[in-house]
Amino acid sequence: MTEAGERGAEVTRRPTVLLSIAAAVAVSVGVLSTAVGPSSAITVGAVGAIIFAAGLVRSRQSALDAGALAIIAGIVIGGLEQTAVEPTVVGTIAVVVAWDLGHSAVALGDQLGREAQTRRLEAVHVVSSLLIGLFAGTVGYAVYVAGGNQPVAAAVLLLLAAILLVVGLGRRRDRSVIGNRSALSRNR
């Protein structure tokens, strides 16, 4: 193969563009939901967004986790200080969707490369994540309203528990992918 042909065959192992943009938009919604709370909530959320963005740029899933958790912390701080639960629910859903899309952007870019034709796959993933998030948020909010409008702190803590569960399941998924990669490399 010629040198130019070899360079053309190189794969850019970077997060995919569409999923990265969708994750960034979702993170922005999450951070904006902290704006109804105290300034400390906005600060923590903004720092989380910066960490999350760095994770997308550098293809670091651990930075995506840390950034999403920081934004969630900002949402929790804001949620404990306000009387309306809606911004907390919307922000939490947005961050979970961003976290999912960010991880998928990194994984897909790592597996297929940024140049691969994955727009349709990415679009389906964005729509499915949004629909699942909206469904979960609607059910959660309906339970909150049906429960007699419990204090916002109860809803915030319930959302925090759900986030920790999602992160725990994501870590398990990441470990299984790493285990499969090392098994593949041993078999070669």
Side-chain angles (χ1 to χ4, degrees), residues 61 65 99 103 169-179:
Q61 292 186 354
D65 293 343
W99 177 81
H103 273 274
L169 292 174
R171 282 287 186 199
R172 185 172 161 199
R173 175 183 66 188
D174 291 344
R175 281 191 214 128
S176 67
V177 168
I178 291 168

Side-chain angles (χ1 to χ4, degrees), residues 86-100:
E86 292 83 3
T88 304
V89 172
V90 169
T92 302
I93 291 168
V95 173
V96 170
V97 167
W99 177 81
D100 176 50

Side-chain angles (χ1 to χ4, degrees), residues 70-156:
I71 298 168
I72 290 294
I75 292 170
V76 168
I77 291 168
L80 292 173
E81 295 290 323
Q82 62 184 335
T83 57
V85 74
E86 292 83 3
T88 304
V89 172
V90 169
T92 302
I93 291 168
V95 173
V96 170
V97 167
W99 177 81
D100 176 50
L101 296 177
H103 273 274
S104 295
V106 170
L108 194 57
D110 187 41
Q111 292 172 4
L112 301 177
R114 184 176 269 183
E115 296 83 9
Q117 297 298 319
T118 58
R119 292 235 185 253
R120 187 173 182 179
L121 171 68
E122 292 175 78
V124 168
H125 188 79
V126 168
V127 170
S128 346
S129 290
L130 286 173
L131 289 175
I132 290 169
L134 288 172
F135 177 75
T138 302
V139 169
Y141 186 71
V143 168
Y144 170 77
V145 170
N149 289 335
Q150 298 296 319
V152 174
V156 168

